[in-house]
């Protein structure tokens, strides 16, 4: 699945969860300002939550022990690259983004046209200033509405009392900057035009703003029934959907909420439930591949590469030692080479042949051992070749076959070929007693 499809899916799911949470738990309570904060804040967070990788904050090993994590499926869809067909010509991977961008541009143009329409209404209206408010008397059959710091109304359609109540209602929209809420809701719909929950959230935002304005008017002492009759009386056309109109939302819902008993503070605890809700979304959006690798797959140790830094010989017979040192240029082990057990085995075979040609044909293969020291640092190692002709001493040797390397300290007795003390840094020095029959 392309990244942008996956992101769009996650944003859509966030908006769906937010709307359902509001619809089921918050819509019926009378804490309208809290609802305003919830709808705007968490709708905006819907674009951010899919970008958060929970694995960056919590170790995947810790997630493994949370039963809910194992039960909750990860929505990240990882498809191996070799299973993704190559793009051939013009397909959905190029078509759908173009369609999306085209519709977004159209919706932005529509929004711009609606803003221009309000500008035109201003130009044909009579302006009256009331403090920091701009009241426009519009000689057209329009519904009263507000936009930014302006209130638009046809004064000839209402009595002075009705006009005052309408202006009080629209003043709440202006003072509390409700136009910003409306524009944010519009932006969410433009970017998520394919998601029905985005449009439902827009409707919920507009409706809740009217609840806030109605409640503010009633708190000023306006008679509830008279005000509700005024809502039923006001008629006209809506000049723009981005304006906060006096009766643009459902009158039935507004009247029902006006008659509803105010909820106590205990209902505010419902907002706390959004925290586990967001946590569940973050768990669902976790990187599936990262957790899979950590929990399900065994850890693979990466072997170090050791480079040979020095090669020395330990031979109790000085004559033999001189012969071996003289022949050192023919040694298969060269400084700068990587650690290779096969190469060491071949060098032992070569040494046996070399010693046989020089009068030592009866030498026991166990008499030649290789001591490897990896404690030099910087991934370097050294080799000491031990050649021991004394059978009695060979029986005492602590050499280890290539199949069973032993962790020891690199303090070595070259004559007895013994390990003197155990090291504390892992595998550091190993005695390799290579046999012809092992290969």
């Amino acid at each position: 699945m392309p990244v942008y499809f996956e992101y769009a899916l996650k944003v859509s799911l966030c908006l769906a969860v937010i709307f359902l949470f509001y619809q089921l738990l918050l819509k019926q309570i009378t804490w309208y300002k809290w609802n305003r904060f919830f709808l705007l804040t968490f709708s905006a967070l819907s674009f951010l939550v899919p970008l958060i990788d929970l694995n960056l904050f919590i170790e995947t090993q810790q997630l493994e022990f949370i039963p809910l994590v194992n039960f909750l499926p990860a929505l990240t869809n990882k498809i191996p690259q070799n299973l993704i067909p190559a793009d051939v010509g013009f397909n959905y991977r190029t078509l759908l983004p173009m369609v999306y961008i085209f519709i977004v541009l159209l919706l932005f143009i529509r929004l711009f046209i609606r803003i221009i329409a309000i500008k035109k209404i201003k130009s044909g209206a009579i302006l009256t200033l009331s403090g920091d408010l701009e009241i426009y008397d519009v000689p057209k059959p329009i519904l009263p509405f507000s936009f930014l710091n302006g209130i638009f109304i046809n004064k000839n359609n209402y009595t002075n009392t009705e006009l005052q109540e309408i202006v009080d209602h629209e003043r709440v929209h202006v003072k509390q900057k409700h136009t910003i809420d409306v524009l944010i809701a519009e932006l969410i719909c433009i970017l998520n035009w394919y998601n029905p929950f985005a449009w439902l959230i827009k409707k919920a935002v507009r409706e809740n703003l009217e609840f806030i304005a109605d409640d503010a008017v009633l708190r000023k002492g306006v008679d509830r029934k008279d005000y509700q009759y005024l809502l039923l009386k006001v008629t006209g056309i809506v000049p723009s959907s981005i304006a906060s109109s006096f009766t643009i939302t459902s009158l039935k819902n507004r009247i029902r909420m006006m008659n509803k008993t105010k909820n106590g503070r205990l209902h505010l605890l419902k907002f706390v439930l959004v925290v586990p809700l967001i946590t569940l979304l973050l768990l669902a959006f976790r990187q599936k591949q990262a957790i899979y690798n950590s929990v399900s797959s065994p850890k693979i140790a990466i072997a170090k590469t050791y480079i040979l830094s020095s090669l020395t010989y330990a031979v109790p017979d000085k004559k033999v030692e001189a012969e071996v040192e003289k022949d050192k240029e023919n040694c298969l082990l060269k400084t700068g080479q990587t650690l290779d057990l096969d190469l060491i085995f071949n060098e032992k075979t070569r040494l046996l042949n070399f010693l046989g040609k020089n009068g030592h044909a009866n030498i026991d293969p166990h008499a030649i051992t290789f001591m490897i020291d990896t404690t030099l640092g910087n991934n370097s190692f050294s080799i000491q070749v031990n050649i021991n002709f004394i059978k009695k001493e060979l029986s005492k040797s602590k050499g280890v076959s290539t199949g069973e390397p032993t962790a020891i300290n690199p303090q070595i007795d070259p004559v007895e070929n013994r390990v003197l003390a155990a090291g504390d840094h892992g595998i550091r020095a190993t005695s390799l007693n290579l046999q012809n029959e092992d290969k």
Side-chain angles (χ1 to χ4, degrees):
M1 182 185 296
V3 175
Y4 45 85
F5 286 169
E6 183 179 310
Y7 176 74
L9 175 63
K10 290 179 180 180
V11 172
S12 298
L13 180 60
C14 286
L15 292 175
V17 170
I18 288 169
F19 173 76
L20 293 175
F21 184 87
Y22 171 79
Q23 192 73 12
L24 296 175
L25 295 179
L26 304 180
K27 182 179 179 180
Q28 302 305 319
I29 66 176
T30 57
W31 293 92
Y32 308 124
K33 291 184 179 180
W34 284 69
N35 283 346
R36 178 192 181 190
F37 174 82
F38 171 82
L39 287 171
L40 282 186
T41 302
F42 289 96
S43 295
L45 283 177
S46 297
F47 295 88
L48 180 61
V49 169
L51 301 176
I52 300 176
D53 183 7
L54 202 61
N55 296 327
L56 298 177
F57 305 96
I58 302 178
E59 293 291 337
T60 53
Q61 290 84 352
Q62 297 178 22
L63 291 176
E64 176 186 0
F65 297 104
I66 303 176
L68 179 61
V69 173
N70 297 323
F71 175 77
L72 188 67
L75 298 181
T76 302
N77 188 7
K78 298 293 183 183
I79 301 178
Q81 293 297 320
N82 59 349
L83 297 182
I84 300 177
D87 291 339
V88 179
F90 193 75
N91 56 29
Y92 80 99
R93 288 176 178 268
T94 55
L95 176 61
L96 292 182
M98 292 177 63
V99 172
Y100 170 80
I101 294 174
F102 177 72
I103 296 178
V104 167
L105 290 176
L106 287 180
L107 293 176
F108 268 116
I109 293 173
R110 187 184 70 164
L111 176 62
F112 180 73
I113 291 174
R114 290 176 174 177
I115 294 176
I116 295 299
I118 296 177
K119 295 285 186 180
K120 290 183 177 180
I121 292 176
K122 279 186 177 183
S123 62
I126 301 174
L127 174 62
T128 302
L129 296 178
S130 177
D132 57 348
L133 295 179
E134 298 176 356
I135 301 177
Y136 295 89
D137 185 7
V138 183
K140 293 181 180 179
I142 63 168
L143 285 172
F145 71 92
S146 60
F147 184 77
L148 295 178
N149 63 335
I151 297 175
F152 301 80
I153 187 173
N154 188 340
K155 295 182 179 180
N156 295 327
N157 293 342
Y158 311 103
T159 64
N160 290 336
T161 301
E162 293 172 343
L163 188 62
Q164 184 60 47
E165 292 178 0
I166 293 174
V167 170
D168 288 343
H169 176 96
E170 298 302 332
R171 180 182 281 109
V172 177
H173 290 312
V174 173
K175 293 294 185 181
Q176 297 187 14
K177 311 296 183 183
H178 289 178
T179 299
I180 296 176
D181 300 49
V182 174
L183 292 177
I184 291 176
E186 286 286 340
L187 183 61
I188 291 173
C189 285
I190 290 175
L191 298 177
N192 295 269
W193 54 263
Y194 51 86
N195 183 9
F197 289 101
W199 299 92
L200 291 173
I201 287 178
K202 172 186 171 181
K203 180 181 178 181
V205 169
R206 300 293 297 271
E207 187 177 58
N208 186 69
L209 293 179
E210 296 305 322
F211 293 161
I212 293 174
D214 292 338
D215 183 65
V217 172
L218 294 179
R219 286 177 182 274
K220 293 183 65 174
V222 174
D223 184 78
R224 178 179 286 103
K225 289 187 177 181
D226 290 343
Y227 182 70
Q228 291 172 357
Y229 282 132
L230 175 61
L231 293 178
L232 297 174
K233 176 183 176 181
V234 174
T235 59
I237 60 174
V238 181
S240 177
S241 63
I242 61 173
S244 298
S245 183
F246 187 68
T247 59
I248 194 171
T249 58
S250 172
L251 293 179
K252 180 179 178 180
N253 288 339
R254 290 172 64 180
I255 291 173
R256 178 173 53 81
M257 294 305 292
M258 276 187 266
N259 295 328
K260 186 178 178 63
T261 303
K262 301 299 180 183
N263 297 117
R265 292 184 177 274
L266 188 62
H267 287 268
L268 293 177
L269 293 176
K270 293 180 179 180
F271 290 93
V272 179
L273 297 177
V274 75
V275 176
L277 186 66
I278 296 299
T279 303
L280 288 177
L281 287 173
L282 290 173
L283 288 173
F285 296 160
R286 70 190 184 274
Q287 292 297 322
K288 180 178 180 181
Q289 190 64 32
I291 292 182
Y292 175 79
N293 286 340
S294 176
V295 176
S296 302
S297 300
K299 292 184 178 180
I300 301 175
I302 300 176
K304 291 183 179 180
T305 300
Y306 289 96
I307 306 298
L308 180 61
S309 61
S310 65
L311 175 67
T312 58
Y313 294 90
V315 186
D317 189 312
K318 297 299 181 182
K319 180 180 178 181
V320 176
E321 183 178 7
E323 293 174 353
V324 173
E325 287 285 352
K326 185 177 180 180
D327 185 63
K328 191 173 181 180
E329 61 182 13
N330 296 320
C331 180
L332 300 178
L333 302 174
K334 307 291 185 183
T335 56
Q337 289 180 331
T338 59
L339 178 59
D340 187 337
L341 295 182
D342 289 336
L343 195 61
I344 295 175
F345 176 85
N346 293 335
E347 172 60 14
K348 178 180 179 179
T349 303
R350 191 195 70 81
L351 274 176
L352 286 172
N353 293 333
F354 170 75
L355 293 173
K357 292 178 181 179
N358 287 272
H360 307 286
N362 296 325
I363 185 172
D364 190 331
H366 292 84
I368 300 179
T369 58
F370 292 77
M371 300 303 297
I372 303 175
D373 184 1
T374 60
T375 62
L376 304 178
N378 297 324
N379 287 2
S380 298
F381 76 101
S382 64
I383 291 180
Q384 177 179 293
V385 182
N386 301 301
I387 304 175
N388 195 337
F389 294 96
I390 305 174
K391 301 289 185 178
K392 181 176 64 175
E393 291 185 352
L394 285 173
S395 63
K396 298 179 182 179
S397 79
K398 303 298 182 179
V400 185
S401 65
T402 54
E404 299 286 343
T406 305
I408 61 176
N409 188 278
Q411 300 180 34
I412 304 162
D413 185 338
V415 177
E416 300 260 338
N417 189 24
R418 295 180 303 177
V419 177
L420 301 181
D424 57 351
H425 300 288
I427 297 178
R428 292 304 185 218
T430 304
S431 172
L432 297 181
N433 194 348
L434 303 173
Q435 306 178 44
N436 289 330
E437 61 268 24
D438 293 337
K439 190 64 179 175

